[in-house]
């Protein structure tokens, strides 16, 4: 059984930083990717960043240069370092695993329950 559990969300002022973590268990990391998605109130869930087994990364334009995705393979942990946060980054952040995560897609992903990030202006 695949299990993903996020932590590290919270409330920060604009310009602040947060580090999100996702502990993954039961996922056989072969051809897929790990990644982060987010969903703001009233909006659809969308991809933020992804990383593959070779540590190649993908970011959406609005977070490139501010967010950094990484993985600790020994601890089976996915990390999202978020700097220079903006109010528009406010959302529920979800950890995901699967082959479509490589392109920030949604097909047959495994999902965590999410962690809330709130950025005040």
């Amino acid at each position: 059984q695949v299990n993903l559990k996020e932590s590290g969300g919270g409330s920060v002022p604009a310009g602040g930083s947060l580090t999100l973590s996702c502990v993954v268990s039961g996922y056989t990391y072969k051809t897929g990717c790990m990644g982060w998605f987010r969903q703001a109130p009233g909006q659809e869930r969308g991809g933020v960043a992804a990383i593959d087994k070779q540590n190649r990364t993908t970011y959406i334009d609005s977070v490139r240069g501010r967010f950094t995705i990484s993985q600790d393979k020994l601890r089976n942990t996915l990390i999202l370092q978020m700097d220079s946060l903006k109010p528009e980054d406010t959302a529920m952040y979800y950890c995901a695993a699967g082959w479509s995560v490589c392109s920030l897609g949604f097909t047959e992903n495994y999902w965590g329950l999410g962690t809330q990030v709130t950025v005040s202006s």
Side-chain angles (χ1 to χ4, degrees):
Q1 180 178 352
V2 178
N3 187 45
L4 296 84
K5 184 172 177 58
E6 305 94 337
S7 63
S11 297
V12 296
S17 298
L18 281 174
T19 303
L20 304 184
S21 297
C22 175
V23 177
V24 182
S25 61
Y27 180 63
T28 302
Y29 202 174
K30 293 183 178 179
T31 59
C33 290
M34 303 286 297
W36 292 93
F37 291 66
R38 66 187 180 186
Q39 185 169 17
Q43 297 185 19
E44 295 185 351
R45 189 176 300 187
V48 176
I51 188 168
D52 70 9
K53 195 173 183 179
Q54 288 76 35
N55 286 325
R56 291 173 295 200
T57 57
T58 299
Y59 297 94
I60 57 172
D61 289 343
S62 62
V63 307
R64 189 175 293 110
R66 299 188 298 121
F67 290 11
T68 303
I69 189 170
S70 62
Q71 57 189 338
D72 183 340
K73 295 179 181 179
L74 290 178
R75 296 176 175 80
N76 294 324
T77 301
L78 181 70
I79 299 162
L80 185 67
Q81 175 65 41
M82 305 186 294
D83 298 316
S84 302
L85 282 161
K86 303 176 181 181
E88 50 263 43
D89 294 318
T90 295
M92 184 71 79
Y93 282 71
Y94 298 91
C95 177
W99 62 269
S100 71
V101 174
C102 299
S103 58
L104 297 179
F106 295 84
T107 305
E108 297 180 350
N109 289 356
Y110 297 100
W111 296 98
L113 295 179
T115 185
Q116 178 67 38
V117 171
T118 303
V119 185
S120 58
S121 57

